[in-house]
């Protein structure tokens, strides 16, 4: 382990020209490379919007809400952080202007600034600096802070000022700025353009930030001329103008591309840290499997409510990819909007898929389509994986169609159903505030022997992350159990059903928690691994040959 013998070093990553450049991926890739050189890395994202956290935003607005082990609802970039690295994200890994301002205003009400005028500078910037400092520790060599938004946004200003001050305070040798920018290709002119990046760095310079490293996102290769132009006008060393071209196959290629250009070496040099050897063999092997999977492709149907936005199910798609890597196959997704199932039928839209996954969600739009999808997977004996709302739909379907409980439902969708097989948790009944009030974060789950879940995990007790208000209603345990629904996972402390499955089916598992938050490309989550394995079997044997 390369101990730094000094304070935690800081890397600040900003973005320029446009949003959606992949700052999170770049940050995660750099963290991986530094970890693979023996450094202990922690990461965080600071988001300039005013929501206290993304938990109350629509998936269409914000994409997936990523849940940390300690139950924070956070930005999906944290998913990249955890998937790429060994870092564990916590509440301190994501702050927003909403959470920063809330702390400042709370302190003002408590009299913490008594006598003073409370202002953006220094009070808000001090709070931002405290958020950054929360990553510091004896066990952290390098802290990476990603600033959300784009240089030039009004709401980003306090963050840029705060990181400028922070670097000034810790000294140049202990902190660096990396700016991720876009070098667009103009088709009509047939060339790459550096001007937007120059202007973006110009904006940073007015605040007093000069990037140490410029990472340029581009669709086409940059020439030496582009690089020297950017180097000169942006005041960045020529060798630290890095090209980050669109990768061909997978986001997991990004670290390899950055490593090829020695970005991690430059970072260590700038931070006065030893340039230790980098070990990436397992990662390279994983990417090779991804690019040329030995066992071909397998098609999985994903039937969701927010299919129009890929980011809404980010960790689900990634986890399926990981399951594919573990099985030597490439997973291709057939994304199906559950409302379309209601109109056109599951048989038509899902014909030929080797596995069906129904992910989480909120609200009654598209629910009947999800339930029809479960019925199709169950009766056609297609491997099925239901996650959170997907597990709840599986329970409803089983109650209606196997137990004769006509109109069974979740009280989320029908408060007056005669058979509320999914119901609000007791402690939720008095909750009125929407933010951060669900059952959130990691809880233990005890797994019954002889079940698919036990076979997958190979353990009797596991921990998984949650984000939901409704639960399997214990009043129906007997009725559903008698008809063959196996309750294979139970939360021991609260006696809640966490996993359901079917015996007489190739692979049918629903879980109340979100396993997709614990899967990584090098270590596929066991349920995703086994689900994809079952799908591969289905592909190879057809729908009749499995047991
Ligand atoms: N809407 C359901 C609940 O709140 C499921 C939530 C989810 O899928 N994350 O319980």
């Amino acid at each position: 382990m390369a101990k730094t013998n000094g304070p935690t070093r800081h890397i600040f990553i900003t973005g320029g020209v446009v949003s959606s450049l992949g700052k999170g991926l770049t940050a995660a890739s750099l963290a991986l490379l530094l970890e693979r050189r023996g450094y202990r890395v922690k990461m965080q994202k600071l988001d300039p919007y005013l929501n206290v956290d993304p938990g109350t935003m629509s998936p269409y607005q914000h994409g997936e809400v990523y849940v940390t082990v300690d139950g924070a609802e956070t930005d999906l970039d944290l998913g990249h952080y955890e998937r790429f690295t060994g870092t564990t994200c916590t509440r301190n890994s994501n702050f927003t202007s909403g959470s920063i301002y809330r702390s400042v205003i709370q302190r003002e009400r408590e009299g913490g600034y008594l006598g003073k005028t409370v202002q953006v500078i220094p009070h808000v910037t001090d709070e931002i600096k405290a958020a950054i400092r929360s990553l510091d520790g004896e066990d952290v060599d390098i802290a990476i802070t990603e600033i959300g938004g784009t240089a030039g946004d009004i709401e980003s200003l306090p963050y840029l000022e705060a990181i400028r001050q922070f670097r000034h305070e810790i000294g140049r040798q202990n902190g660096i700025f990396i700016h991720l920018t876009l070098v667009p290709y103009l088709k009509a002119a047939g060339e790459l353009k550096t001007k937007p990046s120059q202007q973006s760095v110009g904006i940073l310079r007015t605040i007093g930030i000069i990037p140490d490293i410029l990472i340029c996102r581009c669709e086409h290769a940059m020439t030496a001329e582009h690089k020297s132009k950017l180097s000169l006008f942006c005041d960045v060393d020529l060798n630290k103008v890095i090209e980050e071209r669109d990768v061909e196959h997978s986001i997991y290629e990004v670290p390899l591309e950055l490593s090829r250009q020695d970005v991690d070496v430059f970072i260590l040099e700038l931070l006065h840290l030893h340039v230790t050897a980098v070990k990436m063999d397992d990662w390279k092997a994983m990417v090779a499997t991804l690019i040329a999977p030995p066992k071909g492709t397998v098609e999985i149907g994903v039937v969701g409510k927010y299919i129009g936005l890929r980011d809404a199910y980010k960790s689900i798609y990634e986890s399926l990819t990981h399951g594919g890597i573990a099985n030597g196959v490439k997973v291709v997704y057939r994304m199906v909007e559950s409302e379309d199932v209601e109109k056109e039928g599951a048989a038509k839209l899902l014909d030929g898929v080797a596995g069906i996954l129904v992910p989480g969600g909120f609200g009654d739009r598209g629910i009947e389509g999800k339930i029809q999808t479960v019925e199709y997977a169950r009766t056609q004996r297609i491997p099925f994986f239901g996650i959170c709302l997907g597990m709840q739909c599986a329970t409803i379907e089983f109650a209606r169609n196997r137990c004769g409980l006509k109109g069974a439902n979740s009280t989320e969708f029908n408060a007056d159903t005669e058979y509320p097989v999914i119901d609000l948790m007791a402690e939720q009944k008095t909750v009125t505030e929407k933010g951060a009030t669900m059952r959130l974060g990691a809880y233990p789950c005890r797994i019954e022997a002889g079940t698919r879940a036990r076979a997958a995990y190979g353990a009797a007790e596991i921990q998984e992350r949650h984000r939901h208000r409704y639960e399997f209603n214990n009043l129906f345990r007997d009725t559903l159990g008698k008809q063959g629904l196996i309750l294979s996972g139970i939360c021991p402390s609260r006696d809640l059903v966490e996993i359901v499955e079917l015996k007489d089916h190739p692979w049918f598992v629903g879980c109340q928690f979100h396993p997709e938050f614990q899967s990584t490309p090098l270590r596929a989550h066991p349920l995703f691994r086994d689900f994809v394995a079952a799908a591969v079997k289905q592909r190879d044997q057809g729908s009749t040959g499995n047991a």
Side-chain angles (χ1 to χ4, degrees):
M1 184 61 57
K3 183 69 193 84
T4 53
N5 277 332
T8 300
R9 313 299 209 266
H10 286 265
I11 300 174
F12 298 103
I13 302 189
T14 55
V17 183
V18 293
S19 58
S20 306
L21 276 182
K23 273 197 306 271
L25 272 175
T26 304
S29 301
L30 294 175
L32 169 73
L33 293 173
L34 294 167
E35 273 190 357
R36 293 313 187 89
R37 288 182 183 274
Y39 289 95
R40 297 161 305 173
V41 181
K42 265 215 162 6
M43 307 186 73
Q44 73 178 177
K45 178 159 190 204
L46 306 181
D47 277 309
Y49 55 73
L50 284 173
N51 302 63
V52 171
D53 62 43
T56 53
M57 281 188 232
S58 150
Y60 278 130
Q61 266 288 308
H62 187 270
E64 163 187 283
V65 172
Y66 190 78
V67 181
T68 58
V69 73
D70 60 348
E73 296 176 280
T74 70
D75 187 81
L76 56 75
D77 275 338
L78 274 70
H80 294 309
Y81 301 171
E82 289 199 340
R83 284 189 283 272
F84 277 65
T85 73
T87 188
T88 301
C89 291
T90 65
R91 286 184 184 281
N92 289 348
S93 312
N94 195 193
F95 292 86
T96 67
S97 291
S99 70
I100 296 279
Y101 272 83
R102 184 167 72 169
S103 305
V104 169
I105 290 167
Q106 219 160 16
R107 187 163 317 119
E108 186 274 333
R109 291 289 84 183
E110 288 161 1
Y113 305 104
L114 220 50
K116 297 202 182 86
T117 305
V118 182
Q119 295 182 296
V120 173
I121 299 172
H123 302 106
V124 169
T125 45
D126 279 353
E127 196 66 29
I128 295 171
K129 287 193 286 179
I132 297 167
R133 209 168 290 113
S134 71
L135 293 182
D136 282 8
E138 291 228 319
D139 56 343
V140 185
D141 299 321
I142 302 170
I144 301 181
T145 298
E146 175 192 346
I147 310 294
T150 306
D153 294 347
I154 290 174
E155 57 185 18
S156 297
L157 273 173
Y159 292 89
L160 298 179
E161 171 60 12
I163 61 172
R164 184 198 66 73
Q165 289 182 15
F166 196 97
R167 210 278 288 262
H168 176 79
E169 285 164 6
I170 61 174
R172 238 160 244 287
Q173 71 286 2
N174 292 325
I176 59 167
F177 298 120
I178 297 179
H179 190 53
L180 187 70
T181 183
L182 178 72
V183 177
Y185 178 76
L186 282 199
K187 217 153 112 200
E191 55 181 338
L192 291 174
K193 291 290 178 190
T194 61
K195 187 68 64 69
S197 298
Q198 294 175 39
Q199 289 177 339
S200 173
V201 172
I203 291 167
L204 290 180
R205 289 203 335 226
T206 59
I207 297 158
I209 293 174
I210 298 179
D212 298 282
I213 296 175
L214 195 64
I215 300 185
C216 306
R217 293 281 291 108
C218 46
E219 286 175 32
H220 297 275
M222 287 162 69
T223 61
E225 200 188 328
H226 294 127
K227 288 191 181 178
S228 60
K229 214 170 173 183
L230 283 166
S231 166
L232 180 66
F233 294 124
C234 300
D235 210 355
V236 174
D237 294 345
L238 182 59
N239 63 357
K240 298 185 184 67
V241 177
I242 307 294
E243 171 185 299
E244 192 184 310
R245 251 163 95 180
D246 291 356
V247 283
E248 208 177 324
H249 305 281
S250 157
I251 54 171
Y252 299 118
E253 290 173 80
V254 174
L256 301 176
E257 280 305 303
L258 293 175
S259 169
R260 206 174 42 78
Q261 298 174 73
D262 282 339
V263 192
D264 45 340
V265 173
F266 298 139
I267 290 173
L268 293 176
E269 285 172 355
L270 286 164
L271 292 171
H272 299 265
L273 295 170
H274 297 298
V275 179
T276 43
V278 67
K279 295 194 193 73
M280 290 288 283
D281 291 348
D282 54 347
W283 194 272
K284 282 182 188 156
M286 177 272 288
V287 169
T289 307
L290 203 50
I291 293 174
K295 295 191 192 150
T297 62
V298 66
E299 191 178 20
I300 305 278
V302 177
V303 183
K305 306 182 40 162
Y306 320 108
I307 285 297
L309 182 71
R310 221 184 144 98
D311 273 358
Y313 300 116
K314 186 104 208 156
S315 296
I316 296 276
Y317 295 133
E318 288 306 310
S319 301
L320 283 171
T321 298
H322 305 158
I325 295 167
N327 286 284
V329 293
K330 179 181 166 65
V331 173
V332 291
Y333 321 110
R334 189 184 304 178
M335 302 172 189
V336 178
E337 186 62 48
S338 55
E339 277 176 302
D340 292 341
V341 174
E342 291 166 12
K343 290 179 222 139
E344 299 177 48
K348 179 176 167 211
L349 297 176
L350 292 163
D351 182 42
V353 297
I356 295 174
L357 187 148
V358 177
F362 297 83
D364 65 356
R365 181 183 60 81
I367 288 302
E368 291 304 321
K370 288 193 171 202
I371 294 170
Q372 285 169 33
T373 300
V374 178
E375 182 180 8
Y376 179 73
R378 183 176 61 79
T379 55
Q380 298 304 306
R381 303 170 52 74
I382 299 167
F384 170 83
F385 195 8
I387 293 178
C388 206
L389 179 59
M391 172 271 201
Q392 297 176 353
C393 288
T395 305
I396 295 166
E397 193 278 328
F398 192 84
R400 286 184 190 174
N401 299 332
R402 278 293 292 271
C403 307
L405 305 181
K406 214 162 160 266
N409 216 329
S410 162
T411 49
E412 180 179 4
F413 315 125
N414 178 6
D416 304 320
T417 172
E418 204 178 328
Y419 305 111
V421 289
I422 304 292
D423 196 11
L424 208 53
M425 285 179 266
E427 72 262 30
Q428 285 286 339
K429 294 198 168 142
T430 50
V431 170
T432 50
E433 274 197 25
K434 292 281 183 238
T437 54
M438 285 188 244
R439 181 183 179 203
L440 288 167
Y443 285 88
C445 172
R446 201 188 58 235
I447 306 202
E448 297 302 322
T451 60
R452 295 243 184 254
R454 183 68 166 263
Y457 284 102
E461 184 152 335
I462 51 126
Q463 295 263 345
E464 291 281 3
R465 301 181 200 175
H466 293 249
R467 182 172 185 255
H468 55 102
R469 289 185 204 282
Y470 294 81
E471 293 279 355
F472 187 107
N473 186 343
N474 281 342
L475 296 176
F476 291 89
R477 262 164 127 161
D478 279 354
T479 315
L480 272 59
K482 269 192 203 123
Q483 291 304 314
L485 191 72
I486 300 165
L487 312 178
S488 56
I490 305 288
C491 178
S493 51
R494 314 170 94 202
D495 196 29
L496 295 169
V497 175
E498 306 283 33
I499 310 177
V500 300
E501 50 185 88
L502 294 179
K503 206 183 221 138
D504 53 348
H505 190 281
W507 203 91
F508 187 108
V509 175
C511 55
Q512 184 58 79
F513 48 76
H514 289 273
E516 71 272 25
F517 297 143
Q518 296 206 85
S519 188
T520 75
L522 294 177
R523 213 162 28 91
H525 187 285
L527 291 177
F528 279 93
R529 184 200 61 213
D530 282 14
F531 169 57
V532 174
V536 172
K537 216 162 153 192
Q538 176 85 4
R539 176 199 72 179
D540 294 343
Q541 298 179 348
S543 56
T544 49
N546 33 51

